Amino acid sequence: MPTSPHQVPFGAVYFRKSNPPQEDWARDYKIASEDGLNTFRHWFMWSVIERKPGLFDWDEFDRQLDLAAENGMQTIIAEFSMTTPEWMIRRYPDAVQVRANGQRLFSAMSQSCATSGFGNHNGSGSGVLTFNHPEVREAARNFLTELATRYRGHPGLYGYDIWNECNYGTDIDFSEPTKVAFRKWLRTKYGDLDALALVWHRYSYVEWEDIEPPRLLYPYAESLDWIQFKRENNYDQMQFRIDTIKAADPDAAIIAHGVAGFVKDMASRGADDWLAASKVDTYGYTFIQARQGAEPWRNFYAADLIRGASRGKPFWHAERQGGPLWMQPQVMGRDKNDARVATPEDIRLWSMCSFAGGATGMMNLRYRPLLDGPLFGAFGSYGMDGSRTPRSEIVSRIAKWANDPAQKDLFAATPVTGDVGLLVVPEVQEWDYLLSAEGGFDTYQAAMFGAYKGFVENNILVDWVQLTDIEKYAVLYFPYPIMLRQAQATQIADWVERGGILISEACPGYFGDNGRVGTTQPNLGLDAIFGVAEDEVEFMPDIADRDSIEFDGLNLTCGGFLQSFKPTSGKVLGRFADGRIAVVENDHGRGKTLLIGSHVSASNFRDTTADSRKYFRKVLDWSGNRPQIEITNRHVQARLQKGDRCYLWLLNSSPSRQTGHVRFPNGSPVLQNWHWRGQDGHYADGEFEIAGKDALVLEL
């Protein structure tokens, strides 16, 4: 993989035609370089470059790379082959993408730049035309080849960002070229129509051309197949873009970034951070507190998720908020201090939280604000005219600090493996998406976020982990396990039998392969590892919070589904308020399990109580594993990183100065060196003091 010439790539998205004004470019680059910024990313939009067939206008883009080279900076070319030249829509009308209701897409103006060619849908992954159309695909190949050939070897080039925010629209694409691709995918999966009929329960197909994609998504196998096809198809197109660019420029770095959207949007919009990260040299994420919220646990969520998805690869906070957000639906009604106006202190905290989570690059999603469009004035650390501001001053300070040679070993270190792995199974989200569509429930994301929040607020180090990576964890927590394939259930059971400790919430594997309910519950042989048989089950997520569980002195509000049990080999540890059995532990092989009869994590997400917060520490205690670090002040988060040395990050998300004590299982290590002291920070013998929205970074 190509290596960045900079210790920590640090910068911003700069040129999105037509912003910033051309007369400011040279001055902006000079200021950015003086301020310690070393990387700019620009949108290279097909719709504004190939203005006529075979006629490419590169002038403004050439200037960006030349200015980067002149100022010792590097350029990331964000290829925007998903923006469609207007003339192509006329030339290839059969390639226009189609919604489920039959409506054809049209060329729309972007919210993020004053240009057209963007499809009018709610995803970032495709424009007006589908790449499943052979001639459109070849035209895109030609554009990307011209792009990579032109800038290959340029001294200002670092690499290519291959897919901006890695997602696509929920209800596209029903065009004929995509239907053809879907039928081909089905033929590969099933082999013949008789085999497909057994799974889909559609028995009168005579030819593959009889198959139509499902326009109503119900919890049936055909809808699962459609969801999985769309994801594979779009990521195959990502791979096509990578292969095309690498063929023309084999030495360039391949980069991509998502929206850390796996928990919310993997099933509906293909935001599969694990799959995206597997294809590139460096992955990254957009995370903007103005859109997501600035609660302390959210400051860490995206970095932790992308670290898990990257599986040891370097990753960046590719789009970090550096200024306010005006008049957008995500901010309506929220308090001013809930990230709507990004203060210098906010930017400092958000940056340090991402670094503590393991990010090794930092990009603001605007260098300076756009001057037109609905996102005017948004996100930039520098002024509307490109001038320095208090926000840019803190950005400059962090950029220079991160690239100081004194921090080389710090940024070579990586976060330690978590105390617990939060189990992520994509099929669960897919099935919940289909199952919950009619009622509009969001139990999956509430349970996943609620469990993560619960561990983080207890300063328990938690990692997002898929089944392929569970062997390095002693303890797994499964917040919402309602659907599994038989092979996955067997893998989990084998892991427990070999000594793993599994804590699971209700209905493990209730739905099996192709979403079929098991007649024995727990399903798929999981009754043996949990030592129970199902007593009763209730699927009433709208009123689940009217019930509660008594567990080891805690009163836990229920959420999602309820499942009561009859012990077989298990031991009862808790009951519902009406006396039914709700919590059972069981020994299985060399491991053990704890089964909780509702989705208490979903309840914790919606309304954290003192007891629901204590619950997450209690179940870790039950596992026999002690946290690697403990802290007496829950307003402060602690993170550990190790490389050649050990580093402690202490981060105060509150606006006021905080004090407290850090405890390690084997006693307090000795402070060897300060790396970031913040505003009059203090640390000695485990005692600390940290200014509001600031950090301490220590070498121990």
Side-chain angles (χ1 to χ4, degrees):
M1 185 190 100
T3 301
S4 170
H6 304 289
Q7 182 168 290
V8 176
F10 202 111
V13 174
Y14 184 71
F15 181 53
R16 296 184 179 185
K17 190 179 179 84
S18 58
N19 285 286
Q22 187 167 350
E23 59 269 21
D24 293 346
W25 294 352
R27 183 206 60 185
D28 287 351
Y29 271 85
K30 182 176 182 293
I31 289 175
S33 180
E34 289 174 352
D35 286 359
L37 278 65
N38 55 44
T39 306
F40 273 166
R41 184 170 76 243
H42 316 290
W43 286 14
F44 282 59
M45 292 165 286
W46 189 10
S47 60
V48 305
I49 293 173
E50 192 171 2
R51 299 177 63 175
K52 296 179 181 179
L55 180 62
F56 299 92
D57 181 3
W58 302 105
D59 290 351
E60 293 176 311
F61 301 93
D62 289 350
R63 185 66 180 133
Q64 303 303 327
L65 274 88
D66 291 345
L67 283 167
E70 291 167 15
N71 287 276
M73 298 177 67
Q74 63 185 14
T75 300
I76 297 172
I77 293 175
E79 65 80 24
F80 264 67
S81 56
M82 70 283 294
T83 61
T84 306
E86 311 283 359
W87 54 266
M88 286 190 65
I89 300 172
R90 169 182 50 80
R91 177 173 286 191
Y92 303 113
D94 54 332
V96 173
Q97 297 195 80
V98 179
R99 296 182 184 275
N101 64 6
Q103 181 187 56
R104 289 159 57 88
L105 297 190
F106 56 82
S107 174
M109 295 293 288
S110 170
Q111 282 197 331
S112 298
C113 60
T115 58
S116 64
F118 292 79
N120 60 312
H121 55 82
N122 61 346
S124 301
S126 52
V128 182
L129 304 183
T130 174
F131 278 17
N132 290 317
H133 189 288
E135 291 176 273
V136 171
R137 193 179 181 98
E138 285 308 304
R141 188 193 307 276
N142 182 59
F143 165 69
L144 292 171
T145 301
E146 291 280 344
L147 171 70
T149 300
R150 185 175 190 85
Y151 297 113
R152 179 179 60 211
H154 193 291
L157 175 67
Y158 174 55
Y160 299 85
D161 189 289
I162 216 70
W163 186 356
N164 184 72
E165 297 190 340
C166 296
N167 69 92
Y168 46 78
T170 54
D171 66 342
I172 56 171
D173 167 35
F174 293 83
S175 67
E176 285 303 318
T178 300
K179 291 179 184 179
V180 170
F182 182 45
R183 293 164 188 150
K184 181 179 179 182
W185 185 88
L186 292 171
R187 188 192 293 262
T188 299
K189 179 173 181 177
Y190 291 103
D192 58 58
L193 291 170
D194 289 338
L196 181 142
L198 291 174
V199 177
W200 277 29
H201 307 301
R202 288 182 180 261
Y203 303 104
S204 53
Y205 290 139
V206 176
E207 303 289 344
W208 289 98
E209 287 71 23
D210 294 335
I211 297 174
E212 289 284 320
R215 293 176 187 260
L216 292 176
L217 295 183
Y218 288 131
Y220 289 118
E222 63 177 20
S223 296
L224 276 177
D225 278 341
W226 177 240
I227 289 171
Q228 291 167 3
F229 158 75
K230 286 210 303 180
R231 186 164 70 254
E232 289 185 24
N233 183 246
N234 277 273
Y235 282 90
D236 284 348
Q237 293 172 15
M238 179 188 189
Q239 189 64 51
F240 155 75
R241 298 195 295 274
I242 292 171
D243 293 344
T244 301
I245 287 175
K246 292 293 280 186
D249 188 357
D251 297 327
I254 299 297
I255 302 159
H257 71 280
V259 291
F262 190 95
V263 173
K264 293 173 64 176
D265 294 322
M266 186 280 296
S268 61
R269 296 172 58 192
D272 190 334
D273 295 297
W274 271 262
L275 182 54
S278 72
K279 293 180 176 294
V280 298
D281 299 319
T282 299
Y283 193 53
Y285 60 96
T286 296
F287 193 85
I288 304 162
Q289 275 79 355
R291 287 179 168 154
Q292 305 287 346
E295 300 165 78
W297 67 270
R298 292 186 188 271
N299 292 333
F300 296 92
Y301 151 71
D304 285 344
L305 181 83
I306 300 305
R307 183 178 71 253
S310 295
R311 291 186 168 116
K313 290 182 179 179
F315 69 94
W316 298 351
H317 192 158
E319 292 193 344
R320 188 259 296 122
Q321 182 181 355
L325 178 61
W326 308 133
M327 299 179 66
Q328 293 296 296
Q330 302 95 337
V331 303
M332 294 296 100
R334 283 171 35 196
D335 290 339
K336 176 180 177 179
N337 62 1
D338 190 11
R340 293 183 69 166
V341 177
T343 66
E345 293 76 18
D346 287 330
I347 296 168
R348 177 179 63 203
L349 174 68
W350 299 336
S351 300
M352 300 304 279
C353 287
S354 295
F355 286 143
T360 56
M362 183 69 61
M363 301 283 289
N364 187 15
L365 76 164
R366 304 284 189 280
Y367 174 78
R368 50 186 276 189
L370 303 180
L371 300 179
D372 42 24
L375 292 178
F376 75 95
F379 302 137
S381 294
Y382 290 78
M384 296 286 277
D385 60 354
S387 59
R388 291 182 172 100
T389 70
R391 293 190 304 275
S392 73
E393 289 174 6
I394 192 65
V395 168
S396 174
R397 182 187 172 197
I398 297 170
K400 291 177 178 178
W401 168 78
N403 280 285
D404 187 325
Q407 314 310 333
K408 180 179 179 181
D409 289 342
L410 173 68
F411 279 93
T414 56
V416 299
T417 301
D419 301 316
V420 60
L422 196 62
L423 193 54
V424 177
V425 178
E427 287 85 350
V428 175
Q429 185 183 158
E430 293 168 349
W431 189 249
D432 182 75
Y433 173 61
L434 299 173
L435 192 68
S436 298
E438 289 286 298
F441 300 113
D442 63 352
T443 315
Y444 172 83
Q445 63 175 283
M448 299 302 288
F449 284 147
Y452 174 80
K453 174 185 177 184
F455 286 118
V456 169
E457 289 186 344
N458 279 277
N459 259 297
I460 294 168
L461 303 179
V462 58
D463 295 341
W464 299 86
V465 55
Q466 290 205 7
L467 281 168
T468 50
D469 306 310
I470 63 176
E471 294 302 328
K472 61 183 178 181
Y473 291 90
V475 181
L476 293 176
Y477 193 96
F478 206 169
Y480 195 65
I482 68 167
M483 193 268 197
L484 290 169
R485 292 184 282 109
Q486 179 63 68
Q488 294 169 329
T490 300
Q491 183 181 358
I492 291 171
D494 290 346
W495 175 82
V496 173
E497 189 166 10
R498 293 193 304 273
I501 300 170
L502 175 64
I503 304 160
S504 175
E505 297 188 15
C507 300
Y510 192 92
F511 302 91
D513 291 79
N514 298 313
R516 192 172 181 85
V517 174
T519 55
T520 298
Q521 294 291 343
N523 192 16
L524 307 171
L526 295 173
D527 53 336
I529 74 165
F530 290 112
V532 299
E534 180 183 276
D535 173 36
E536 294 181 298
V537 69
E538 300 174 5
F539 290 88
M540 297 184 290
D542 56 318
I543 58 171
D545 59 357
R546 299 179 187 179
D547 286 293
S548 62
I549 293 173
E550 294 293 330
F551 168 54
D552 199 13
L554 302 179
N555 184 272
L556 305 174
T557 303
C558 294
F561 309 146
L562 276 71
Q563 188 177 38
S564 60
F565 310 111
K566 297 175 182 177
T568 53
S569 59
K571 176 183 176 182
V572 177
L573 295 185
R575 294 179 179 269
F576 292 103
D578 63 5
R580 288 178 294 172
I581 294 170
V583 183
V584 178
E585 69 173 4
N586 189 52
D587 293 326
H588 183 74
R590 297 196 300 273
K592 62 179 182 177
T593 60
L594 184 69
L595 181 58
I596 315 294
S598 188
H599 299 112
V600 294
S601 290
S603 176
N604 182 65
F605 175 70
R606 297 185 175 113
D607 183 20
T608 298
T609 66
D611 278 5
S612 71
R613 182 177 290 114
K614 292 176 184 176
Y615 161 80
F616 292 94
R617 175 58 194 264
K618 190 172 289 288
V619 294
L620 186 67
D621 289 342
W622 168 87
S623 76
N625 275 30
R626 291 187 64 187
Q628 297 172 69
I629 188 169
E630 296 184 83
I631 192 165
T632 59
N633 186 333
R634 67 182 182 85
H635 295 291
V636 175
Q637 294 296 321
R639 292 301 177 100
L640 286 173
Q641 295 184 359
K642 289 186 178 179
D644 291 338
R645 296 178 175 87
C646 181
Y647 301 94
L648 171 66
W649 297 66
L650 296 172
L651 304 111
N652 175 15
S653 295
S654 79
S656 58
R657 185 173 290 270
Q658 299 290 329
T659 62
H661 187 84
V662 178
R663 292 192 293 263
F664 296 84
N666 299 316
S668 294
V670 176
L671 170 63
Q672 293 291 320
N673 189 24
W674 283 99
H675 285 265
W676 178 279
R677 196 162 187 166
Q679 297 176 330
D680 301 320
H682 171 77
Y683 180 90
D685 299 324
E687 299 290 337
F688 64 81
E689 182 176 356
I690 314 175
K693 296 187 178 181
D694 208 341
L696 304 180
V697 185
L698 322 167
E699 182 182 321
L700 302 177

